[in-house]
């Protein structure tokens, strides 16, 4: 068992407040487990002598707190308590003196050391112990002086283990630096879309070019299948067709006149009808059969359709225009304009 404790003995009726303040100071310096209060509050049924012995076995020093009434406090019968054999304070101090434990009288509230004739026989050696005074006016200083004496007896209190150094906090995250986006960064989606569109158009053009190439190859194959030389002489338009081409004046039996202009498209001979103001008012198309010309006719002014039959007549043509909707047959002649 460790024997470096400090035993504090006091009477509650005499110096309880001062004892409490001193114990708080000593516990702060030497640790809470290094200071032992008196056993005045021993539980009922325990042997107080044994209880005091157990307490003193772990102590090197006993502080006897002595106030102005420490000697004169009496029991219920009017007898001084210090002279009673079962008085706890007497038993504590007497046991410490007998065991040669360091006993330090501490005077508080203006108390003075009692004389030998004021004490029972077993406490008389207390008068030869040098007392330490603690006054209210210089409490802190007096307590520090007492602490220095106690450190020489029980040793200095172990230094508390240093608190673990906290882990250094991580450096603050740098604030993000926002920079202005470049034109490409702001418009990259449009650029990407344009690139895709151009790629699709290029692919479509490649497909069309491929189709044109295939069509050209097919047409070339068809040409290869044909004979290289065609001895068939080209067909010349008939003399009647050649003589019908050009500009003609049409005169009808009813006295009306118009201008017909003929042109040939392959075997088809077409004509356009103009009035004397040179405004187109009709049209038609037909074929030359056995030297005669047969065509369909439509007048855009009247909305009437008809059929035209023309036959060569010297330097001109004569014939008739038939209108089925009106059953009119109108003789006509054509002369060169």
């Amino acid at each position: 068992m460790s024997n470096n404790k400090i035993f504090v003995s006091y009477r509650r009726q005499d110096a309880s407040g001062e004892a409490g303040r001193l114990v708080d100071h000593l516990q702060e310096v030497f640790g809470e487990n290094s200071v032992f209060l008196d056993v005045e509050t021993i539980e009922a049924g325990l042997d107080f002598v044994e209880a005091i012995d157990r307490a003193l076995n772990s102590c090197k020093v006993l502080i006897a707190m002595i106030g102005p009434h420490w000697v004169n406090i009496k029991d219920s019968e009017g007898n001084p308590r210090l002279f009673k054999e079962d008085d706890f304070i007497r038993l504590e101090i007497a046991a410490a003196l007998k065991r040669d434990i360091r006993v330090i009288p501490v005077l508080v509230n203006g108390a003075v050391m009692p004389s030998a004739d004021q004490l029972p026989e077993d406490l008389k050696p207390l008068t030869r112990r040098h007392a330490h005074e603690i006054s209210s006016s210089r409490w802190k200083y007096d307590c520090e002086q007492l602490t220095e004496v106690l450190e020489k007896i029980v040793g200095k209190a172990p230094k508390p283990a240093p608190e673990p150094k906290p882990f250094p906090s991580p450096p603050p995250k740098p604030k993000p630096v926002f920079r202005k986006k470049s034109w490409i960064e702001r418009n990259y989606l449009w650029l990407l879309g344009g690139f895709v569109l151009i790629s699709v158009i290029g692919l479509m053009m490649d497909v069309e070019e491929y189709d044109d190439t295939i069509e050209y190859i097919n047409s070339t194959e068809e040409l290869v299948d044909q004979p290289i030389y065609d001895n068939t002489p080209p067909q010349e338009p008939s003399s009647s067709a050649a003589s019908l081409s050009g500009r003609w004046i049409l005169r009808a039996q009813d006295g009306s006149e118009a201008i017909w202009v003929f042109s040939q498209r392959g075997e088809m001979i077409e004509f356009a009808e103009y009035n004397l103001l040179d405004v187109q008012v009709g049209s038609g198309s037909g074929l030359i059969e056995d030297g005669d010309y047969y065509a369909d006719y439509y007048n855009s002014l009247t909305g009437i359709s008809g059929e035209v039959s023309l036959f060569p007549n010297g330097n001109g043509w004569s014939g008739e225009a038939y209108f089925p909707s009106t059953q009119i047959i109108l003789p006509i002649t054509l002369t060169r304009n």
Side-chain angles (χ1 to χ4, degrees):
M1 178 182 295
S2 174
N3 61 346
N4 61 347
K5 289 187 178 181
I6 302 171
F7 193 107
V8 179
S9 173
Y10 71 99
R11 288 195 186 277
R12 290 188 177 182
Q13 299 90 336
D14 183 48
S16 61
E18 290 74 8
R21 290 181 64 185
L22 179 60
V23 168
D24 290 340
H25 170 75
L26 296 178
Q27 287 180 341
E28 184 178 350
V29 175
F30 296 98
E32 185 175 352
N33 295 328
S34 296
V35 181
F36 186 85
L37 288 174
D38 71 326
V39 291
E40 190 173 1
T41 56
I42 295 175
E43 295 180 5
L46 294 179
D47 189 321
F48 57 85
V49 176
E50 293 180 358
I52 292 173
D53 285 341
R54 285 195 300 270
L56 292 174
N57 284 337
S58 61
C59 294
K60 274 191 175 183
V61 61
L62 181 144
I63 295 177
M65 300 287 294
I66 299 176
H69 309 293
W70 186 76
V71 174
N72 300 321
I73 292 177
K74 296 178 174 58
D75 61 9
S76 59
E77 297 177 356
N79 300 316
R81 295 185 62 177
L82 279 177
F83 286 87
K84 296 186 66 173
E85 294 183 356
D86 60 352
D87 180 58
F88 294 147
I89 302 302
R90 176 181 175 180
L91 292 173
E92 293 168 358
I93 299 174
L97 292 172
K98 185 178 180 180
R99 297 185 183 189
D100 201 21
I101 295 174
R102 186 80 167 265
V103 177
I104 301 176
V106 174
L107 307 177
V108 295
N109 294 331
V112 296
M113 279 295 294
S115 60
D117 57 356
Q118 292 179 298
L119 301 175
E121 192 65 29
D122 53 359
L123 293 185
K124 290 184 183 297
L126 181 64
T127 59
R128 299 193 297 270
R129 299 296 190 271
H130 182 70
H132 182 84
E133 183 180 2
I134 298 179
S135 65
S136 300
S137 60
R138 54 182 187 181
W139 180 271
K140 182 178 180 181
Y141 173 79
D142 292 340
C143 287
E144 290 176 352
Q145 294 298 310
L146 177 62
T147 300
E148 293 180 2
V149 175
L150 294 175
E151 286 180 344
K152 296 177 182 179
I153 301 171
V154 300
K156 292 186 178 181
K159 294 183 179 180
E163 296 183 0
K165 294 182 179 180
F167 290 103
S169 57
K173 294 182 179 179
K175 294 183 179 180
V177 179
F178 296 97
R179 63 178 181 86
K180 186 177 181 181
K181 292 184 178 180
S182 64
W183 183 89
I184 294 179
E185 291 175 321
R186 296 195 306 269
N187 299 277
Y188 77 96
L189 288 178
W190 291 102
L191 294 175
L192 181 60
F195 175 76
V196 173
L197 179 60
I198 292 173
S199 300
V200 172
I201 293 175
L203 181 61
M204 294 175 63
M205 293 178 65
D206 291 342
V207 172
E208 291 180 358
E209 183 177 354
Y210 174 78
D211 292 341
D212 293 341
T213 303
I214 296 300
E215 184 177 354
Y216 172 76
I217 293 174
N218 293 336
S219 62
T220 304
E221 291 177 352
E222 292 177 358
L223 291 175
V224 170
D225 293 339
Q226 295 179 1
I228 297 177
Y229 300 102
D230 188 1
N231 296 325
T232 305
Q235 294 183 354
E236 296 290 339
S238 62
S239 59
S240 297
S243 61
L244 188 57
S245 298
R247 188 179 180 91
W248 298 80
I249 297 177
L250 179 141
R251 293 182 177 85
Q253 190 178 30
D254 60 0
S256 60
E257 294 183 357
I259 304 297
W260 281 18
V261 180
F262 289 86
S263 60
Q264 184 173 359
R265 294 181 179 273
E267 297 181 354
M268 184 69 66
I269 298 178
E270 300 176 346
F271 66 89
E273 181 181 11
Y274 299 87
N275 60 18
L276 297 181
L277 298 177
D278 205 22
V279 177
Q280 185 174 352
V281 295
S283 61
S285 62
L287 298 172
I288 297 291
E289 296 181 3
D290 298 331
D292 301 329
Y293 178 65
Y294 301 95
D296 295 326
Y297 167 75
Y298 174 74
N299 189 290
S300 58
L301 289 179
T302 61
I304 298 176
S305 300
E307 299 174 357
V308 175
S309 301
L310 294 175
F311 312 101
N313 182 13
N315 294 328
W317 293 76
S318 60
E320 59 186 17
Y322 170 63
F323 301 97
S325 60
T326 59
Q327 297 295 316
I328 295 176
I329 298 176
L330 184 65
I332 57 175
T333 59
L334 294 177
T335 57
R336 284 284 182 186
N337 184 6

